[in-house]
Amino acid sequence: MPRILLLLAVITPLCSVFLVARSLFPGFDLTKVAESFPISWPLAVPADSETRPYDESDQQPLDVVDFSPPHDHSSDLHASVAEPITVPGQFTRRIVAVGDLHGDFPNAQTVLQMAGVVDHNGNWTGAVDFLVQTGDIIDRGDDTIKLFLWMEGLRDEAHAAGGTVLSHLGNHEWMNVIGDWRYVYPSEITTFGSVAARQKMLTTGRIGKSWASNYTTASRLPLHPAVGDPNIDYDPSTASAFDVPTPLSHTAISFVHGGLAPSYPDLAPFPSRINELSHSLLQKLQQRTPPPHPPNPYPGMPAEATEAERRLYDTDGPLWYRGWASGPEEQVCAQVDGVLQKTGTRRMIMGHTPDFQNIVSRCKGKIIIIDTGISHAYGGTLSALSITYTLTPIPAIHTSPEEKWWTEREVLVAVYPDRQEVLAVDERDIQGDFAPA
């Protein structure tokens, strides 16, 4: 009884304050006040238990940075996006990218249907040319097997229809193959049958084989075939001045899970250097099955891992880096062009660091962060990023007969269940022979 009286003594004055505020200020809304507080959630952190034992502090909440107002969410760009007007000789490429799915099959299917990638049965529609998933399908939910098998099915369906699925390993895929199971639910282990069955599936089994053959850690996706096929290395000899409207050398986008840090030493050649390290490290990890941590000690990297392979998994590596999301606007915008130059890209897209309200655009769309906490484990916003690239011939009556000019246009749209938001519209005229073969 004393505890109840104490509780009433606390609640009654708070209710009185709320009622008085409502009477004095009719526009007062407690929910708006609550929404103004920073969102926190236990983001994953690397397990460095080779130097300290695991404890619960490894899962302490980290603040999710509030980026507004510097983000490029300009109010005049909020609109639905019309389909590009098709003219003879025009090239169009449609890309959809989605971030962390974390064991939530229903929400993943809703997102891809919302973005036009799949139909109501979860099958490939053929409406897009590329689906890019930036990793972290595993952990925090029970649908690991469903999600990976579905993605493999979509890969086959896309290929049959002339499309492509680009899949990436996130830090959580790597954590699991290392033996760091801090974010694995017991109920998810049950879907595999046992700890041993889960270990086998992720190493020599179906999921592990798929990781080795169909997944990369980094991708470079050209927006036009003249730039090459997906994941062909950037050739610096094709570069011109970065902002000069001539060759298409940087007409490509990089995709990774965490981010390409300016300090990371293995950015070039991009993306093959990162993917070679990823492939060799994955091979070494899949040859062992240490007892998972916790409750067992963190197994760490294999003894035979090279310094470069260890750096891949470090905090400034492409799996864990959060600097593009957490750094001050002035700082990241001063650094981003250097990385874009090295990688032969015009913008970088990543997941890993969630904003539970919106897809985040920084530095005029050069940095796009697409993790919005899609999984029910976070309760964030369902979202997908849609990219439409067109290269349209300019009629000869507007140019010299011997010259070929084109209008290049790229539109990035954040797609949500209740709205679309234009993040960037880039357009320029370029000269060259880019007609389809």
Side-chain angles (χ1 to χ4, degrees):
M1 183 63 71
R3 291 183 180 179
I4 295 175
L5 293 175
L6 179 61
L7 183 62
L8 290 173
V10 173
I11 293 176
T12 301
L14 290 176
C15 292
S16 300
V17 171
F18 174 69
L19 292 173
V20 170
R22 287 294 300 270
S23 64
L24 293 177
F25 308 101
F28 178 81
D29 187 344
L30 186 61
T31 60
K32 298 293 184 184
V33 175
E35 289 174 0
S36 69
F37 287 100
I39 299 174
S40 296
W41 199 262
L43 303 183
V45 294
D48 57 348
S49 299
E50 292 159 307
T51 57
R52 66 171 174 82
Y54 167 80
D55 60 50
E56 292 300 324
S57 66
D58 284 334
Q59 296 199 54
Q60 286 181 352
L62 301 177
D63 286 340
V64 178
V65 179
D66 180 8
F67 296 102
S68 53
H71 287 168
D72 306 316
H73 293 185
S74 307
S75 58
D76 59 336
L77 290 180
H78 289 236
S80 294
V81 181
E83 285 291 311
I85 299 172
T86 302
V87 300
Q90 181 185 69
F91 173 81
T92 301
R93 177 160 285 178
R94 294 178 175 86
I95 303 164
V96 168
V98 295
D100 306 33
L101 301 176
H102 280 306
D104 192 329
F105 179 78
N107 280 2
Q109 187 167 350
T110 297
V111 164
L112 293 194
Q113 184 177 348
M114 178 180 77
V117 177
V118 302
D119 59 23
H120 67 282
N121 292 317
N123 298 317
W124 186 265
T125 63
V128 301
D129 301 298
F130 289 88
L131 167 65
V132 185
Q133 202 283 318
T134 55
D136 277 13
I137 290 177
I138 203 167
D139 282 353
R140 302 191 191 275
D142 292 345
D143 297 337
T144 297
I145 297 175
K146 284 183 181 179
L147 281 167
F148 278 111
L149 296 185
W150 182 49
M151 284 293 171
E152 289 310 294
L154 288 180
R155 195 183 316 281
D156 293 339
E157 293 174 20
H159 181 73
T164 302
V165 175
L166 293 178
S167 301
H168 296 81
L169 296 170
N171 65 302
H172 279 264
E173 279 77 34
W174 283 97
M175 289 165 70
N176 275 267
V177 77
I178 288 170
D180 181 359
W181 288 20
R182 286 174 294 152
Y183 303 90
V184 180
Y185 293 169
S187 53
E188 190 259 15
I189 295 175
T190 301
T191 67
F192 287 85
S194 67
V195 167
R198 189 177 189 275
Q199 287 178 312
K200 182 177 180 179
M201 180 76 88
L202 302 185
T203 52
T204 60
R206 186 167 181 179
I207 293 177
K209 289 178 180 177
S210 179
W211 286 355
S213 59
N214 295 327
Y215 285 68
T216 62
T217 292
S219 286
R220 180 175 181 262
L221 177 54
L223 295 173
H224 191 277
V227 187
D229 294 328
N231 289 336
I232 294 295
D233 277 346
Y234 166 59
D235 179 2
S237 68
T238 66
S240 60
F242 192 56
D243 290 321
V244 174
T246 45
L248 297 174
S249 63
H250 287 73
T251 306
I253 299 172
S254 71
F255 293 90
V256 296
H257 178 67
L260 299 172
S263 60
Y264 184 64
D266 291 306
L267 288 176
F270 185 80
S272 68
R273 175 58 178 163
I274 289 174
N275 290 333
E276 287 167 2
L277 292 170
S278 172
H279 181 73
S280 62
L281 180 58
L282 185 64
Q283 276 190 320
K284 294 171 184 177
L285 289 168
Q286 289 185 325
Q287 291 171 3
R288 65 175 201 176
T289 52
H293 160 74
N296 302 287
Y298 176 59
M301 288 290 168
E304 63 271 24
T306 67
E307 182 180 348
E309 289 168 346
R310 294 173 186 272
R311 185 69 179 265
L312 179 80
Y313 194 70
D314 209 344
T315 53
D316 73 341
L319 300 161
W320 284 100
Y321 186 64
R322 298 190 193 271
W324 300 121
S326 61
E329 192 82 0
E330 182 177 355
Q331 175 184 316
V332 298
C333 293
Q335 295 175 328
V336 65
D337 282 349
V339 176
L340 296 178
Q341 286 278 28
K342 288 180 181 178
T343 57
T345 54
R346 60 171 48 168
R347 66 183 90 250
M348 55 178 72
I349 296 173
M350 66 214 76
H352 187 48
T353 305
D355 181 306
F356 300 137
Q357 305 299 319
N358 298 287
I359 288 175
V360 171
S361 171
R362 308 191 78 181
C363 310
K364 298 181 179 179
K366 294 179 181 178
I367 299 168
I368 307 288
I369 306 162
I370 61 173
D371 182 4
T372 60
I374 288 172
S375 172
H376 68 275
Y378 287 106
T381 300
L382 303 188
S383 69
L385 178 68
S386 173
I387 303 169
T388 302
Y389 175 87
T390 55
L391 191 66
T392 306
I394 298 175
I397 58 173
H398 301 298
T399 63
S400 301
E402 66 276 7
E403 296 178 343
K404 293 183 178 180
W405 282 87
W406 308 74
T407 296
E408 181 192 49
R409 180 178 171 87
E410 184 185 357
V411 181
L412 280 75
V413 180
V415 181
Y416 305 105
D418 58 346
R419 72 192 192 282
Q420 294 183 357
E421 179 183 348
V422 181
L423 301 179
V425 179
D426 293 336
E427 185 173 313
R428 63 174 182 165
D429 291 344
I430 58 175
Q431 184 183 5
D433 187 2
F434 307 117

